[in-house]
Amino acid sequence: MTTLFIKVPPKHNIYLKERMNMAEALIDAISSFVEKRDGVFNEYIDTKQIHITTKVQIKLRRAQVSFDDIKINTDVTIHEEFCKKLLLSIMELNEEFQDLRCRMIAPAQIAMGDEERRCIFRTTSNPDAVLRLMDFVRIYNKWTEVSVDYLILRERREYELAKLNTTEVADSYKLTKILEQLAEEYKKKIAEQETQLQEYCMDLQSIAEELNEQYKILDILDKLNNHDFFL
């Protein structure tokens, strides 16, 4: 009787590509803050979807306002079927918006699945370094989410101000006041988000410098070129 011996590749080889990708993402992210970057938002975000994402969000907000107006205005009898259709539209628009938003966020974040976590925990035997590395990834990913919301907000400002500017009204003075008020509201909201993004950047820069200077994480990650690194 012939016995067949099937060589099964070690698991670390199966997931080597994922771990290498993780290490490369960490090197890029940490290096960008060690080098004291200028921008406040994540430039890795693919902005191709921003316009359509913003338009969907605007439709969603308008539908939500209409639904709230219906509930508040008890003097007007609204057909139940109309309310159901409006509520369904809100649910569909919200699902579409969240999907588009996630498509913008996910590619710019640092992946954090089981293998990526394993990569981090096997990067160094120093538990303090591991915790700081996890802190960096967590804040980096949150910073990316806020970056997307910030870019959508800026796009929404441009869209709504441009639309109002092309509106034909009899009272031009009233329109000017509305434009000024809307522009001021967006200016305040954008400034608040920029402050939040700057705070994230300061935290990330501090952790990145600590990881690089105290724990030499960039040097450790560079050793990924040697495939025995994850054995």
Side-chain angles (χ1 to χ4, degrees), residues 177-225:
K177 288 298 180 182
I178 292 172
L179 280 167
E180 289 176 354
Q181 182 180 354
L182 187 62
E184 187 61 31
E185 288 175 0
Y186 271 115
K187 182 180 179 181
K188 182 180 179 181
K189 291 178 182 177
I190 289 172
E192 288 173 353
Q193 284 203 336
E194 285 178 345
T195 298
Q196 186 179 12
L197 288 168
Q198 287 169 352
E199 290 173 352
Y200 279 130
C201 285
M202 287 189 290
D203 290 342
L204 288 168
Q205 182 177 325
S206 176
I207 297 173
E209 290 174 349
E210 179 184 347
L211 287 168
N212 185 48
E213 295 170 8
Q214 185 171 339
Y215 301 113
K216 308 299 180 185
I217 286 295
L218 290 177
D219 293 338
I220 293 171
L221 290 170
D222 280 336
K223 292 180 181 178
L224 184 60
N225 292 327

Side-chain angles (χ1 to χ4, degrees), residues 169-182:
V169 294
D171 192 341
S172 59
Y173 176 78
K174 185 177 181 179
L175 177 61
T176 300
K177 288 298 180 182
I178 292 172
L179 280 167
E180 289 176 354
Q181 182 180 354
L182 187 62

Side-chain angles (χ1 to χ4, degrees), residues 137 164 182:
V137 174
L164 270 176
L182 187 62

Side-chain angles (χ1 to χ4, degrees), residues 62-77:
R62 287 175 180 169
Q64 289 170 331
V65 169
S66 297
F67 189 76
D68 290 340
D69 287 344
I70 291 172
K71 290 192 299 181
I72 294 172
N73 192 351
T74 55
D75 296 331
V76 179
T77 302

Side-chain angles (χ1 to χ4, degrees), residues 29-86:
I30 294 170
S31 296
S32 69
F33 283 95
V34 169
E35 295 166 3
K36 294 181 174 59
R37 57 197 312 286
D38 295 326
V40 295
F41 64 88
N42 190 336
E43 291 89 353
Y44 288 109
I45 294 168
D46 185 357
T47 58
K48 294 176 184 177
Q49 296 283 348
I50 280 188
H51 186 66
I52 182 64
T53 304
T54 303
K55 290 185 71 174
V56 171
Q57 188 192 53
I58 290 171
K59 289 180 182 178
L60 171 61
R61 289 177 178 271
R62 287 175 180 169
Q64 289 170 331
V65 169
S66 297
F67 189 76
D68 290 340
D69 287 344
I70 291 172
K71 290 192 299 181
I72 294 172
N73 192 351
T74 55
D75 296 331
V76 179
T77 302
I78 303 297
H79 197 279
E80 186 178 349
E81 190 64 27
F82 176 78
C83 289
K84 287 181 178 179
K85 287 182 179 179
L86 185 56

Side-chain angles (χ1 to χ4, degrees), residues 11-12 15-20 22 26 110-123 130 134 137 141 230:
K11 189 174 182 180
H12 74 269
Y15 298 114
L16 183 59
K17 182 178 179 181
E18 286 79 358
R19 295 173 195 167
M20 290 179 68
M22 178 64 176
L26 286 170
I110 300 174
M112 191 46 65
D114 290 341
E115 280 307 308
E116 286 81 11
R117 289 179 186 275
R118 188 180 180 191
C119 170
I120 286 180
F121 278 98
R122 298 189 69 180
T123 297
V130 170
M134 292 291 286
V137 174
N141 286 344
F230 288 116

